Amino acid sequence: MVTPESKPFLRIVRGDPSPEEIAALVAVLSARARAAAAARDGAGKSAGTSRWADRTRLVRGPVAGGLRPRGAGAWRASGLPR
């Protein structure tokens, strides 16, 4: 009978990785598993985050004077004063 403890966590199929490469792979896989568990539990963002500390404010929204320039001369119009 195979118990979870005797079953290998990682099996090398091809190549000869160094212990450092295996350690890096295990670190990445465990970090991804922790992030997925945190996302499932809803622990990604705390309720006490202030608007000042919220990084989404850095994402640029629509320009105050209307829509951003679009179309053929948009790159030129983007450098003009508003």
Side-chain angles (χ1 to χ4, degrees), residues 45 50-62 68:
K45 188 175 180 182
S50 69
R51 289 192 64 195
W52 180 258
D54 190 10
R55 306 277 303 168
T56 59
R57 66 183 174 83
L58 299 175
V59 178
R60 184 173 177 183
R68 292 189 188 129

Side-chain angles (χ1 to χ4, degrees), residues 11-81:
R11 190 178 87 192
I12 307 301
V13 178
R14 191 178 339 163
D16 187 24
S18 68
E20 292 83 13
E21 292 172 331
I22 294 173
L25 178 63
V26 169
V28 168
L29 292 176
S30 61
R32 286 188 56 120
R34 277 193 305 266
R40 261 194 324 270
D41 295 340
K45 188 175 180 182
S46 66
T49 304
S50 69
R51 289 192 64 195
W52 180 258
D54 190 10
R55 306 277 303 168
T56 59
R57 66 183 174 83
L58 299 175
V59 178
R60 184 173 177 183
V63 177
L67 295 175
R68 292 189 188 129
R70 302 183 195 288
W75 66 271
R76 187 177 302 123
S78 68
L80 297 176

